[in-house]
mmCIF file of all heavy atoms in Angstrom:
data_model
loop_
_atom_site.group_PDB
_atom_site.id
_atom_site.type_symbol
_atom_site.label_atom_id
_atom_site.label_comp_id
_atom_site.label_asym_id
_atom_site.label_seq_id
_atom_site.Cartn_x
_atom_site.Cartn_y
_atom_site.Cartn_z
ATOM 1 N N GLU T 1 -2.866 3.025 -11.079
ATOM 2 C CA GLU T 1 -2.157 2.024 -11.839
ATOM 3 C C GLU T 1 -2.173 0.685 -11.203
ATOM 4 O O GLU T 1 -2.090 0.655 -9.945
ATOM 5 C CB GLU T 1 -0.682 2.450 -12.084
ATOM 6 C CG GLU T 1 -0.503 3.615 -13.017
ATOM 7 C CD GLU T 1 1.022 3.956 -13.185
ATOM 8 O OE1 GLU T 1 1.842 3.076 -12.694
ATOM 9 O OE2 GLU T 1 1.327 5.011 -13.750
ATOM 10 N N ARG T 2 -2.278 -0.374 -11.933
ATOM 11 C CA ARG T 2 -2.156 -1.657 -11.367
ATOM 12 C C ARG T 2 -0.691 -2.044 -11.472
ATOM 13 O O ARG T 2 -0.135 -1.953 -12.571
ATOM 14 C CB ARG T 2 -3.048 -2.665 -12.173
ATOM 15 C CG ARG T 2 -2.903 -4.154 -11.864
ATOM 16 C CD ARG T 2 -3.936 -4.891 -12.697
ATOM 17 N NE ARG T 2 -3.623 -6.334 -12.725
ATOM 18 C CZ ARG T 2 -2.836 -6.950 -13.560
ATOM 19 N NH1 ARG T 2 -2.198 -6.226 -14.456
ATOM 20 N NH2 ARG T 2 -2.661 -8.281 -13.477
ATOM 21 N N THR T 3 -0.133 -2.562 -10.409
ATOM 22 C CA THR T 3 1.315 -2.871 -10.372
ATOM 23 C C THR T 3 1.628 -4.140 -9.580
ATOM 24 O O THR T 3 0.924 -4.500 -8.656
ATOM 25 C CB THR T 3 2.113 -1.666 -9.817
ATOM 26 O OG1 THR T 3 3.470 -1.970 -9.897
ATOM 27 C CG2 THR T 3 1.782 -1.410 -8.365
ATOM 28 N N ARG T 4 2.790 -4.748 -9.975
ATOM 29 C CA ARG T 4 3.332 -5.881 -9.182
ATOM 30 C C ARG T 4 4.672 -5.512 -8.613
ATOM 31 O O ARG T 4 5.358 -6.280 -8.063
ATOM 32 C CB ARG T 4 3.483 -7.133 -10.121
ATOM 33 C CG ARG T 4 2.273 -7.538 -10.779
ATOM 34 C CD ARG T 4 1.132 -7.971 -9.862
ATOM 35 N NE ARG T 4 -0.032 -8.528 -10.569
ATOM 36 C CZ ARG T 4 -1.266 -8.557 -9.983
ATOM 37 N NH1 ARG T 4 -1.463 -8.051 -8.794
ATOM 38 N NH2 ARG T 4 -2.231 -8.965 -10.674
ATOM 39 N N ASP T 5 5.111 -4.232 -8.853
ATOM 40 C CA ASP T 5 6.326 -3.765 -8.331
ATOM 41 C C ASP T 5 6.250 -3.696 -6.828
ATOM 42 O O ASP T 5 5.448 -3.023 -6.235
ATOM 43 C CB ASP T 5 6.626 -2.344 -8.944
ATOM 44 C CG ASP T 5 7.962 -1.782 -8.454
ATOM 45 O OD1 ASP T 5 8.073 -1.500 -7.250
ATOM 46 O OD2 ASP T 5 8.882 -1.617 -9.259
ATOM 47 N N VAL T 6 7.101 -4.470 -6.147
ATOM 48 C CA VAL T 6 6.913 -4.614 -4.680
ATOM 49 C C VAL T 6 7.130 -3.361 -3.995
ATOM 50 O O VAL T 6 6.381 -3.096 -3.008
ATOM 51 C CB VAL T 6 7.943 -5.706 -4.191
ATOM 52 C CG1 VAL T 6 7.927 -5.762 -2.686
ATOM 53 C CG2 VAL T 6 7.570 -7.056 -4.805
ATOM 54 N N GLU T 7 8.075 -2.522 -4.384
ATOM 55 C CA GLU T 7 8.262 -1.154 -3.688
ATOM 56 C C GLU T 7 7.081 -0.316 -3.817
ATOM 57 O O GLU T 7 6.641 0.376 -2.857
ATOM 58 C CB GLU T 7 9.527 -0.510 -4.256
ATOM 59 C CG GLU T 7 10.836 -1.170 -3.821
ATOM 60 C CD GLU T 7 10.950 -1.392 -2.347
ATOM 61 O OE1 GLU T 7 10.693 -0.439 -1.567
ATOM 62 O OE2 GLU T 7 11.222 -2.565 -1.907
ATOM 63 N N LYS T 8 6.468 -0.302 -5.019
ATOM 64 C CA LYS T 8 5.219 0.545 -5.155
ATOM 65 C C LYS T 8 4.063 -0.126 -4.363
ATOM 66 O O LYS T 8 3.224 0.617 -3.703
ATOM 67 C CB LYS T 8 4.867 0.509 -6.626
ATOM 68 C CG LYS T 8 5.765 1.433 -7.549
ATOM 69 C CD LYS T 8 5.207 1.462 -8.956
ATOM 70 C CE LYS T 8 6.035 2.425 -9.777
ATOM 71 N NZ LYS T 8 5.546 2.457 -11.205
ATOM 72 N N CYS T 9 3.985 -1.423 -4.289
ATOM 73 C CA CYS T 9 2.960 -2.128 -3.564
ATOM 74 C C CYS T 9 3.107 -1.693 -2.053
ATOM 75 O O CYS T 9 2.078 -1.500 -1.361
ATOM 76 C CB CYS T 9 3.022 -3.619 -3.739
ATOM 77 S SG CYS T 9 2.480 -4.170 -5.366
ATOM 78 N N LYS T 10 4.364 -1.737 -1.513
ATOM 79 C CA LYS T 10 4.616 -1.389 -0.135
ATOM 80 C C LYS T 10 4.102 0.021 0.191
ATOM 81 O O LYS T 10 3.409 0.237 1.223
ATOM 82 C CB LYS T 10 6.023 -1.549 0.211
ATOM 83 C CG LYS T 10 6.561 -3.047 0.247
ATOM 84 C CD LYS T 10 8.039 -3.066 0.611
ATOM 85 C CE LYS T 10 8.502 -4.514 0.728
ATOM 86 N NZ LYS T 10 9.984 -4.569 1.045
ATOM 87 N N ILE T 11 4.522 0.979 -0.634
ATOM 88 C CA ILE T 11 4.117 2.352 -0.422
ATOM 89 C C ILE T 11 2.598 2.480 -0.471
ATOM 90 O O ILE T 11 1.971 3.102 0.365
ATOM 91 C CB ILE T 11 4.809 3.266 -1.521
ATOM 92 C CG1 ILE T 11 6.333 3.235 -1.328
ATOM 93 C CG2 ILE T 11 4.262 4.670 -1.402
ATOM 94 C CD1 ILE T 11 7.060 3.953 -2.485
ATOM 95 N N GLY T 12 2.020 1.792 -1.521
ATOM 96 C CA GLY T 12 0.539 1.892 -1.681
ATOM 97 C C GLY T 12 -0.189 1.293 -0.508
ATOM 98 O O GLY T 12 -1.168 1.827 -0.078
ATOM 99 N N PHE T 13 0.305 0.206 -0.023
ATOM 100 C CA PHE T 13 -0.428 -0.510 1.067
ATOM 101 C C PHE T 13 -0.293 0.207 2.383
ATOM 102 O O PHE T 13 -1.230 0.373 3.160
ATOM 103 C CB PHE T 13 0.127 -1.952 1.258
ATOM 104 C CG PHE T 13 -0.705 -2.739 2.243
ATOM 105 C CD1 PHE T 13 -1.970 -3.179 1.976
ATOM 106 C CD2 PHE T 13 -0.193 -2.934 3.548
ATOM 107 C CE1 PHE T 13 -2.633 -3.909 2.907
ATOM 108 C CE2 PHE T 13 -0.974 -3.603 4.506
ATOM 109 C CZ PHE T 13 -2.209 -4.135 4.166
ATOM 110 N N GLU T 14 0.989 0.735 2.681
ATOM 111 C CA GLU T 14 1.121 1.455 3.923
ATOM 112 C C GLU T 14 0.306 2.765 3.863
ATOM 113 O O GLU T 14 -0.238 3.244 4.906
ATOM 114 C CB GLU T 14 2.583 1.823 4.134
ATOM 115 C CG GLU T 14 3.463 0.566 4.482
ATOM 116 C CD GLU T 14 3.071 -0.121 5.690
ATOM 117 O OE1 GLU T 14 2.578 0.590 6.631
ATOM 118 O OE2 GLU T 14 3.177 -1.286 5.779
ATOM 119 N N ASP T 15 0.130 3.303 2.651
ATOM 120 C CA ASP T 15 -0.621 4.477 2.549
ATOM 121 C C ASP T 15 -2.149 4.206 2.846
ATOM 122 O O ASP T 15 -2.801 4.970 3.488
ATOM 123 C CB ASP T 15 -0.527 5.092 1.099
ATOM 124 C CG ASP T 15 -1.445 6.268 0.854
ATOM 125 O OD1 ASP T 15 -1.056 7.354 1.252
ATOM 126 O OD2 ASP T 15 -2.553 6.061 0.240
ATOM 127 N N LEU T 16 -2.524 3.023 2.419
ATOM 128 C CA LEU T 16 -3.882 2.612 2.679
ATOM 129 C C LEU T 16 -4.155 2.553 4.225
ATOM 130 O O LEU T 16 -5.107 3.080 4.735
ATOM 131 C CB LEU T 16 -4.230 1.250 2.047
ATOM 132 C CG LEU T 16 -5.566 0.597 2.309
ATOM 133 C CD1 LEU T 16 -6.689 1.434 1.734
ATOM 134 C CD2 LEU T 16 -5.541 -0.810 1.798
ATOM 135 N N LEU T 17 -3.295 1.875 4.912
ATOM 136 C CA LEU T 17 -3.400 1.727 6.350
ATOM 137 C C LEU T 17 -3.374 3.115 7.051
ATOM 138 O O LEU T 17 -4.258 3.403 7.950
ATOM 139 C CB LEU T 17 -2.296 0.834 6.959
ATOM 140 C CG LEU T 17 -2.235 -0.620 6.497
ATOM 141 C CD1 LEU T 17 -1.115 -1.348 7.267
ATOM 142 C CD2 LEU T 17 -3.596 -1.289 6.805
ATOM 143 N N ASN T 18 -2.450 3.961 6.693
ATOM 144 C CA ASN T 18 -2.315 5.219 7.286
ATOM 145 C C ASN T 18 -3.595 6.130 7.120
ATOM 146 O O ASN T 18 -4.088 6.780 8.017
ATOM 147 C CB ASN T 18 -1.056 6.019 6.790
ATOM 148 C CG ASN T 18 0.189 5.363 7.202
ATOM 149 O OD1 ASN T 18 0.267 4.647 8.222
ATOM 150 N ND2 ASN T 18 1.270 5.517 6.400
ATOM 151 N N ARG T 19 -4.063 6.105 5.865
ATOM 152 C CA ARG T 19 -5.226 6.959 5.587
ATOM 153 C C ARG T 19 -6.477 6.461 6.196
ATOM 154 O O ARG T 19 -7.431 7.139 6.491
ATOM 155 C CB ARG T 19 -5.370 7.124 4.060
ATOM 156 C CG ARG T 19 -4.256 7.964 3.439
ATOM 157 C CD ARG T 19 -4.446 8.271 1.955
ATOM 158 N NE ARG T 19 -3.256 9.033 1.469
ATOM 159 C CZ ARG T 19 -3.078 10.333 1.625
ATOM 160 N NH1 ARG T 19 -3.968 11.053 2.211
ATOM 161 N NH2 ARG T 19 -1.985 10.917 1.101
ATOM 162 N N LEU T 20 -6.536 5.073 6.419
ATOM 163 C CA LEU T 20 -7.717 4.525 7.022
ATOM 164 C C LEU T 20 -7.653 4.656 8.570
ATOM 165 O O LEU T 20 -8.578 4.342 9.306
ATOM 166 C CB LEU T 20 -7.898 3.080 6.640
ATOM 167 C CG LEU T 20 -8.255 2.794 5.156
ATOM 168 C CD1 LEU T 20 -8.447 1.247 4.908
ATOM 169 C CD2 LEU T 20 -9.521 3.543 4.747
ATOM 170 N N GLY T 21 -6.467 4.947 9.072
ATOM 171 C CA GLY T 21 -6.209 5.039 10.552
ATOM 172 C C GLY T 21 -6.303 3.693 11.206
ATOM 173 O O GLY T 21 -6.829 3.559 12.299
ATOM 174 N N THR T 22 -5.743 2.691 10.545
ATOM 175 C CA THR T 22 -5.733 1.347 11.158
ATOM 176 C C THR T 22 -4.449 0.694 10.991
ATOM 177 O O THR T 22 -3.593 1.079 10.201
ATOM 178 C CB THR T 22 -6.874 0.495 10.498
ATOM 179 O OG1 THR T 22 -6.999 -0.723 11.170
ATOM 180 C CG2 THR T 22 -6.533 0.258 8.983
ATOM 181 N N ASP T 23 -4.138 -0.397 11.768
ATOM 182 C CA ASP T 23 -2.854 -1.021 11.584
ATOM 183 C C ASP T 23 -3.004 -2.380 10.870
ATOM 184 O O ASP T 23 -2.105 -3.114 10.744
ATOM 185 C CB ASP T 23 -2.233 -1.308 12.980
ATOM 186 C CG ASP T 23 -3.114 -2.204 13.877
ATOM 187 O OD1 ASP T 23 -4.287 -2.611 13.461
ATOM 188 O OD2 ASP T 23 -2.768 -2.421 15.057
ATOM 189 N N HIS T 24 -4.258 -2.666 10.425
ATOM 190 C CA HIS T 24 -4.420 -3.861 9.644
ATOM 191 C C HIS T 24 -5.780 -3.807 8.806
ATOM 192 O O HIS T 24 -6.588 -2.980 9.147
ATOM 193 C CB HIS T 24 -4.631 -5.109 10.593
ATOM 194 C CG HIS T 24 -5.854 -5.109 11.324
ATOM 195 N ND1 HIS T 24 -6.171 -4.278 12.394
ATOM 196 C CD2 HIS T 24 -7.036 -5.942 11.114
ATOM 197 C CE1 HIS T 24 -7.428 -4.541 12.793
ATOM 198 N NE2 HIS T 24 -7.979 -5.571 12.088
#
């Protein structure tokens, strides 16, 4: 889903970093 909901964006972005194994 494409979203502008900040809480969803935060969860989605942190998930990206965690799964990629990077801090940025």
Side-chain angles (χ1 to χ4, degrees):
E1 288 182 11
R2 170 177 168 274
T3 182
R4 304 299 183 202
D5 182 292
V6 174
E7 289 308 310
K8 287 183 177 180
C9 288
K10 287 180 178 179
I11 295 171
F13 185 76
E14 291 301 327
D15 176 78
L16 175 66
L17 294 184
N18 290 335
R19 292 184 184 279
L20 294 181
T22 187
D23 61 0
H24 75 284

